[in-house]
Amino acid sequence: SRLICVLSFVGVDLCGQQTSLSSRSMKMDRHGSTLPRRRGGTANPLADRSGGRTADRRLVEEAPMKTLRFETQPLAGYTVVEVGAYLAVPLVGQHLRQLGARVIAIERPSSARGAEEEAAWRPETTAELRSGKHVLEIDFTTEAGVLSARKLIYEQADVVIENFRPGALQQFGLDAQTCCAAKPDLVYLSMPGFASADAALAKVPAWESVVLAVSGVFRDMGVNRQLMGVPASYSPLPLASAYASVLAALGVLAALYRRERTGQGEMLEVPLASALLDTLVHNSMDFDCPERYLSQRQRAVLAARSGQPKEPLHYEEVQELMDPFYNHYRCSDGRPFYLVAPSHIRHQLRALQVLGLDEEACALGVPTAQPYASSDEADANVHGLGAGQVGDDWAPKLRALMRRAFLNNTAFEWEKLFGEAGVPGAAHRTTTEWLQSTHAVDSGLSVLDGRGRVRPGPPVWVFEEVSLSGEADREEPARKRPDVALTCEGSRGRLPDREPKPALGSSGSTAPASSASSCASFGGDSDNSGCALLEGVRILDLANVIAGPTIGTMLARFGADVTKLDAPTPMYSPDTTVIYGLATNKGKRSALIDIKDDAGRVAFEALVARSDLVVVNCTTECLARLGLCPARLRQLNPRAILVRFDAWGGPNEGKGKRAQHLGYDDNVQAAMGIMNRFGGGLGRIEEHAHVGTIDVMAGAGGALAAVAALLHRERRGPRGGGTIVARASLASLGQVLQFPFCCGDLRSLEEEAALAATSAGRECRGEHALLRCYEAADGEWLLLVASMAPLCGDALAKLAEAHPALAEATAEARLADGADDDCSLDAHLAAALSRVFRGTLAAKGADATIEERLSADKWSDLLLAAGVPAVRLRSIEEVRRANVQEAMDLCDGPSFQFVTDHVHPIGGPVTMFAPCSIRPRSQGAMRMSLTASPKYGDHTVEILREVGIDPEPLLARGVAATGWSSEYLPGFRARVQPREPQQPRSAGASRGRRMLAVSDWLDRCSTSPRPRSERATERGACARNGLAMTS
């Protein structure tokens, strides 16, 4: 009977026929199928059974007599005006469109300056970026064009996104200040390459590769490249645009969430350079790290820097320095497999069991590590099983055993075996292999159209899950919502009229009842300058490693109150929990509570009951073991939203053979072809060199899904419906990172991938001669970006005008033997330009009045003055040293901002990139200073008291703890007195609601926990055998 009721609510009668819908409430999807129109005011078929309005979601899955899942469109009814070119802004527009917004993309006329070059840049990518949008051609050089754009923004736009050069739109009256003054509820996003207030860089042409070069990316491509003596590396991945697109979409949704409650708009700026280093925060962090945490490769690099020079290592020699549990292995089919199981003893033991090596490893006598041993425990084994490294003595022996074992099966067979055993691993693929793989297609991560074309699925998605068991459908009083309409998408030309959205405060207002503890109490005309974008939000975050905890710290920036909850016994070693936590736990409180114990479970459920979001990074099977499925969550808190993050999930929830497999950033890079592209083929695969290449962006994507779900809940109202679930995965966000290589004709993509296998790798310096890194006479490196297209006539002419030697080089290339086709001519041009920049090809004739042996900086100045973008490659360390400041400045600060915490709780100074990538203009919209990541367990007592539980009995029984070690980072002796942890506060003392983060025990949760005595006995037996197991 409940199934009949639910189906009738969503428009299905008992005869299996869909009930009639008016033509006005229908639309065509991008494949021509007719779908019910999603309308902004009604988000839930269970929430509004009258008024004849169509829900903004549709039935997407019916689990067998258990649950129904409904796709939602949190941004239905919003209109976004997109004014941008190339990748960053159109990507933001796609993210918002995929969440339900109507996006109007303004493009320049084909005759406009730069239009021809833009049209030649990856037309397949541009077509996918325009897909589903309403495209208008407007000429800003005409008065009619400017008036048309202004009318569109003032009358229809809820959001404007643009990436013009700072100040360029001011002459048209389309800049942020002018538009927001005329329309105070407008959310206006600017995405310059460098911050508009950055006097040193704001005028540098901010091409993608220029941003990467100036930010230090091309010089610091990881320890492997440093050990191989590679001074400069070019990467085709659009890191800056991809990272910035996710952070920008997050900022827009956070601003819209506040607007729903207060009516206040916002001006946002997201500089690509700031977003790049914000996302690569783990690569620029500086503190005195104890040697026990340095890998063998890192120690080799430090030795070379400290005056012990060695010959560059070969690729194979570098592989010998990698930990056996964090390594690539060749399989029986010749394809490499990437095993990633450091720091986690259960993963390591399972890996040995899958390989059939558990007895041989035991015979070797590999010790069980004590990774949390303090500095005073000199005899403790800090390396071994369960640590970040097994140790220099044991690594070669284990690596040899594992190499032989991997030859027994193919890479795809190992992928299945390791996945089913719960061990993170992946077979290496090319990008096109990934896009056509069974899992990518079945999960919805990749969409094939049957005509040889492919596109990536959405990076984030939100759905509602309704239980049919009758245990989770309590309803609350309804609230009126605005009646808004979504106009036709995907068309070109004249815009249809838009139905007006009721103003806040009218009978269709979406604002909740006022509350003294929430910024919702600020009225439309009140001063909202002190209201943070997520003021008053509480989140329960059950996450670990990098991507999951990043969700919480991202949301903390916007004013959410975050508490991190972990188990009293750590699951990972300090390499993962503490060192990565320096960045991922900023702005949080920390408690250690065992939620498998009855008393700990009571505390945990009390925290769930007061939270807005519950964040987990785990599979659905692990979620069930945790006892936190959506139906149970709704029982504990009907308003709580589940934010679930995993490795391999896609929008076809639960589908795909890898849906229940574990995975890390590196595994996803391997599976979707990033390492193949960067290394130069499956024979020389390499990690894309940065820590958290996907992780941090994926965490920001999880935060984006979370805020989308909050916005959906705000607009839906409290009545009825199911549990709202916000979703993202490493794989879904990883595809954003290589978006240009994931859409278009499969055959063309395969040809491009084959070319990349021969032209990429450690010798790769660029795309072609006019977009390439060159060594200068002073030994520094220069990035030349004369043109996005090879052999561009205008670019060659500009080069020739910039310097006589460059004119000589272009002439020499044309006259060279064998330069009879474009490919050969480009190669000869690159060789000639290399000689010029190194100072070995001098200009001829009397006009050669400039010294030819110029430094990289001199070449940069000379070429920029001639209108040719060129910059010296910097290192991340150089960027950090030049940009350390006392405090973060979101309004007038430069693109790069590093802040040193001299009294960090670690006991020494820590320098870290400031979270300055999202820059709102209203005062108080973001937290200007996040508290340092606390020592694990610092707030256990405080949090237990907040939920009415006496902490002393739990501490005595080991159900709760105040630390994993006597030191913040085991092995790090404090050199300064750290600041005192935050003082306890009562549950009602803080303003608004809190955010809670729970992490490290997810993988250990079982259906029926064993008695402590049994687990202790088992640990003792394993220790005697030279191995270990977690409790």
Side-chain angles (χ1 to χ4, degrees):
S1 63
R2 293 185 55 75
L3 176 60
I4 292 171
C5 291
V6 172
L7 293 179
S8 67
F9 290 153
V10 298
V12 179
D13 64 21
L14 299 182
C15 298
Q17 301 295 322
Q18 187 166 359
T19 57
S20 62
L21 296 169
S22 68
S23 60
R24 183 177 179 181
S25 66
M26 304 297 290
K27 75 168 188 174
M28 301 295 289
D29 74 356
R30 67 191 309 272
H31 300 298
S33 303
T34 302
L35 300 175
R37 178 174 303 285
R38 300 170 180 83
R39 303 181 63 160
T42 309
N44 188 337
L46 304 184
D48 191 350
R49 308 176 194 177
S50 62
R53 293 182 293 180
T54 306
D56 70 344
R57 65 182 190 174
R58 60 190 173 94
L59 178 63
V60 294
E61 179 177 346
E62 178 185 340
M65 297 306 296
K66 293 182 180 179
T67 60
L68 291 175
R69 293 193 182 104
F70 298 90
E71 175 190 344
T72 71
Q73 299 284 291
L75 296 185
Y78 284 107
T79 294
V80 177
V81 174
E82 169 193 308
V83 191
Y86 290 99
L87 190 57
V89 160
L91 258 183
V92 178
Q94 273 295 1
H95 300 335
L96 301 180
R97 186 195 68 81
Q98 288 168 329
L99 288 169
R102 179 180 71 149
V103 180
I104 303 168
I106 297 177
E107 66 178 16
R108 54 188 163 183
S110 57
S111 59
R113 186 177 56 139
E116 183 178 352
E117 188 174 21
E118 181 188 355
W121 177 82
R122 306 193 67 88
E124 297 274 11
T125 302
T126 301
E128 184 56 39
L129 289 169
R130 292 287 189 246
S131 175
K133 300 176 182 178
H134 190 108
V135 181
L136 291 178
E137 185 177 286
I138 295 181
D139 187 354
F140 283 2
T141 63
T142 67
E143 184 178 356
V146 172
L147 291 176
S148 175
R150 198 176 298 163
K151 184 174 186 293
L152 175 63
I153 291 172
Y154 290 174
E155 294 184 1
Q156 299 206 39
D158 298 290
V159 178
V160 174
I161 52 178
E162 57 88 9
N163 65 344
F164 276 62
R165 176 174 47 82
L169 288 176
Q170 190 170 0
Q171 59 182 314
F172 307 119
L174 297 173
D175 58 297
Q177 288 79 7
T178 303
C179 290
C180 291
K183 190 172 185 178
D185 66 344
L186 181 67
V187 174
Y188 193 111
L189 167 69
S190 298
M191 297 185 69
F194 302 101
S196 58
D198 195 328
L201 294 170
K203 294 183 180 180
V204 175
W207 294 100
E208 177 79 30
S209 52
V210 169
V211 174
L212 297 178
V214 171
S215 304
V217 169
F218 289 163
R219 286 299 299 263
D220 290 319
M221 293 299 279
V223 292
N224 285 9
R225 295 283 169 98
Q226 294 178 52
L227 291 171
M228 290 188 285
V230 180
S233 297
Y234 178 86
S235 171
L237 295 185
L239 300 180
S241 291
Y243 295 163
S245 74
V246 178
L247 289 165
L250 170 60
V252 167
L253 262 73
L256 288 175
Y257 178 70
R258 185 184 65 178
R259 192 184 93 155
E260 281 292 316
R261 300 178 295 159
T262 69
Q264 179 185 1
E266 185 59 75
M267 290 182 287
L268 298 164
E269 180 175 290
V270 179
L272 269 63
S274 305
L276 177 64
L277 284 197
D278 195 358
T279 310
L280 295 178
V281 59
H282 296 279
N283 300 268
S284 60
M285 193 183 308
D286 185 39
F287 71 101
D288 189 8
C289 183
E291 185 174 345
R292 70 195 254 186
Y293 297 110
L294 299 179
S295 68
Q296 197 170 358
R297 289 180 294 168
Q298 290 170 319
R299 282 178 274 130
V301 169
L302 290 177
R305 289 179 179 175
S306 61
Q308 304 175 38
K310 293 183 179 180
E311 289 294 319
L313 300 180
H314 295 292
Y315 173 83
E316 293 75 14
E317 293 174 317
V318 173
Q319 307 308 304
E320 295 298 321
L321 299 179
M322 295 178 66
D323 189 85
F325 290 105
Y326 202 164
N327 214 322
H328 313 276
Y329 293 96
R330 194 70 56 180
C331 302
S332 64
D333 56 351
R335 185 183 293 269
F337 181 89
Y338 200 5
L339 173 66
V340 184
S343 303
H344 193 301
I345 194 166
R346 285 188 65 181
H347 290 171
Q348 294 172 341
L349 294 175
R350 289 173 185 167
L352 294 174
Q353 291 169 356
V354 171
L355 292 167
L357 296 176
D358 42 340
E359 292 184 1
E360 292 182 71
C362 185
L364 283 178
V366 183
T368 299
Q370 299 169 273
Y372 284 86
S374 67
S375 304
D376 298 329
E377 301 176 71
D379 297 331
N381 289 320
V382 295
H383 296 145
L385 293 174
Q389 308 158 62
V390 296
D392 295 353
D393 294 335
W394 308 105
K397 301 173 185 177
L398 268 179
R399 195 163 44 237
L401 288 176
M402 294 167 75
R403 279 180 178 158
R404 288 198 298 269
F406 269 102
L407 293 173
N408 292 327
N409 288 306
T410 68
F412 294 127
E413 289 170 343
W414 285 123
E415 186 175 80
K416 182 175 184 294
L417 291 170
F418 277 100
E420 292 174 348
V423 180
H428 283 274
R429 294 172 174 83
T430 66
T431 301
T432 51
E433 285 178 335
W434 160 258
L435 293 171
Q436 299 174 82
S437 67
T438 302
H439 174 75
V441 174
D442 290 348
S443 65
L445 289 166
S446 173
V447 181
L448 302 175
D449 67 357
R451 296 173 293 173
R453 300 180 64 79
V454 66
R455 61 181 174 87
V460 304
W461 56 100
V462 179
F463 63 87
E464 289 189 37
E465 185 164 304
V466 180
S467 171
L468 301 181
S469 62
E471 62 185 16
D473 284 337
R474 292 178 291 173
E475 298 189 344
E476 300 176 51
R479 184 183 65 185
K480 289 184 179 181
R481 295 172 303 281
D483 186 8
V484 295
L486 182 62
T487 55
C488 181
E489 294 177 355
S491 57
R492 178 183 290 269
R494 187 182 65 82
L495 284 171
D497 293 334
R498 173 184 175 182
E499 292 183 87
K501 182 183 295 184
L504 289 167
S506 69
S507 59
S509 173
T510 60
S514 62
S515 168
S517 62
S518 168
C519 76
S521 61
F522 298 132
D525 296 327
S526 300
D527 179 10
N528 296 327
S529 61
C531 178
L533 299 182
L534 295 183
E535 179 77 23
V537 173
R538 290 178 181 170
I539 306 168
L540 175 60
D541 181 358
L542 295 82
N544 51 33
V545 193
I546 297 178
T550 297
I551 298 173
T553 197
M554 284 288 175
L555 297 172
R557 298 182 182 187
F558 298 106
D561 192 347
V562 187
T563 303
K564 188 165 191 338
L565 186 62
D566 294 272
T569 302
M571 183 169 62
Y572 287 90
S573 68
D575 313 60
T576 297
T577 56
V578 181
I579 293 180
Y580 290 156
L582 289 172
T584 62
N585 292 333
K586 291 187 68 174
K588 303 179 183 180
R589 294 185 298 161
S590 172
L592 303 177
I593 302 172
D594 184 357
I595 67 169
K596 299 188 302 297
D597 182 271
D598 289 344
R601 187 73 185 186
V602 169
F604 171 70
E605 293 185 351
L607 291 168
V608 172
R610 73 178 193 175
S611 299
D612 294 289
L613 305 181
V614 178
V615 181
V616 297
N617 61 332
C618 65
T619 64
T620 54
E621 290 179 353
C622 180
L623 196 65
R625 292 196 300 270
L626 185 64
L628 201 61
C629 62
R632 176 58 180 158
L633 179 63
R634 185 162 176 77
Q635 283 184 323
L636 295 172
N637 182 353
R639 284 180 52 81
I641 295 167
L642 177 64
V643 182
R644 190 172 75 82
F645 186 91
D646 60 6
W648 305 104
N652 296 339
E653 196 67 27
K655 302 295 179 60
K657 61 183 181 181
R658 303 216 69 188
Q660 302 300 330
H661 291 184
L662 305 182
Y664 295 117
D665 178 313
D666 309 83
N667 300 125
V668 174
Q669 284 192 50
M672 61 176 47
I674 293 176
M675 292 189 183
N676 165 73
R677 186 179 303 276
F678 182 65
L682 291 176
R684 291 178 62 86
I685 39 87
E686 282 189 67
E687 306 97 329
H688 201 275
H690 305 104
V691 177
T693 299
I694 299 175
D695 268 323
V696 179
M697 175 183 68
L704 169 62
V707 180
L710 282 170
L711 185 58
H712 176 64
R713 188 189 69 178
E714 193 75 14
R715 304 177 74 199
R716 180 190 75 171
R719 179 182 175 185
T723 304
I724 302 174
V725 182
R727 290 283 285 114
S729 71
L730 286 170
S732 67
L733 272 301
Q735 293 184 151
V736 175
L737 188 60
Q738 52 174 1
F739 186 91
F741 311 111
C742 290
C743 49
D745 179 72
L746 273 170
R747 182 174 299 178
S748 299
L749 292 174
E750 287 173 351
E751 292 173 355
E752 183 180 50
L755 178 63
T758 59
S759 62
R762 68 188 187 94
E763 301 301 328
C764 179
R765 297 292 182 267
E767 303 275 350
H768 47 77
L770 298 179
L771 173 51
R772 193 178 189 276
C773 299
Y774 293 96
E775 185 179 12
D778 62 348
E780 294 293 329
W781 284 75
L782 177 84
L783 174 72
L784 174 70
V785 192
S787 171
M788 297 294 288
L791 303 176
C792 174
D794 291 343
L796 289 172
K798 276 190 174 182
L799 271 180
E801 294 172 1
H803 192 281
L806 296 175
E808 187 71 24
T810 57
E812 178 188 293
R814 289 193 180 98
L815 298 174
D817 293 337
D820 50 2
D821 60 74
D822 287 350
C823 185
S824 300
L825 178 57
D826 188 76
H828 283 288
L829 178 60
L833 290 176
S834 293
R835 293 194 294 275
V836 170
F837 291 125
R838 285 200 305 267
T840 57
L841 176 63
K844 299 177 182 178
D847 292 335
T849 58
I850 304 177
E851 175 62 39
E852 274 73 40
R853 293 186 60 80
L854 301 178
S855 67
D857 280 324
K858 289 289 183 63
W859 273 118
S860 175
D861 294 341
L862 186 150
L863 289 167
L864 285 172
V868 180
V871 292
R872 178 175 61 84
L873 269 60
R874 306 180 187 181
S875 68
I876 291 180
E877 181 179 4
E878 178 188 352
V879 174
R880 182 183 65 237
R881 288 180 175 177
N883 292 280
V884 175
Q885 52 192 61
E886 290 298 321
M888 181 175 68
D889 185 352
L890 289 180
C891 292
D892 301 314
S895 305
F896 307 120
Q897 301 182 40
F898 291 84
V899 176
T900 300
D901 187 344
H902 294 281
V903 287
H904 193 280
I906 196 174
V910 175
T911 301
M912 197 179 305
F913 191 79
C916 63
S917 57
I918 304 174
R919 304 182 178 205
R921 294 302 180 188
S922 64
Q923 183 181 0
M926 292 188 71
R927 289 182 178 173
M928 293 300 296
S929 178
L930 291 176
T931 57
S933 300
K935 181 175 181 289
Y936 284 92
D938 257 358
H939 306 94
T940 301
V941 172
E942 171 186 338
I943 291 168
L944 286 171
R945 286 175 177 164
E946 284 180 4
V947 293
I949 295 176
D950 183 0
E952 298 306 326
L954 274 66
L955 292 170
R957 292 173 47 218
V959 175
T962 57
W964 287 333
S965 170
S966 60
E967 298 167 325
Y968 182 101
L969 175 63
F972 186 99
R973 292 184 180 275
R975 284 174 284 283
V976 298
Q977 183 65 35
R979 64 172 60 88
E980 291 295 321
Q982 185 177 347
Q983 292 300 313
R985 53 184 175 180
S986 64
S990 65
R991 181 183 181 185
R993 296 165 284 185
R994 281 198 188 85
M995 177 172 191
L996 172 71
V998 183
S999 84
D1000 277 332
W1001 58 77
L1002 289 178
D1003 192 64
R1004 299 192 293 115
C1005 293
S1006 59
T1007 305
S1008 53
R1010 292 165 293 162
R1012 293 179 181 273
S1013 58
E1014 180 183 331
R1015 285 181 273 162
T1017 303
E1018 186 174 350
R1019 283 197 302 272
C1022 291
R1024 288 191 294 273
N1025 289 325
L1027 300 175
M1029 291 184 67
T1030 55
S1031 59

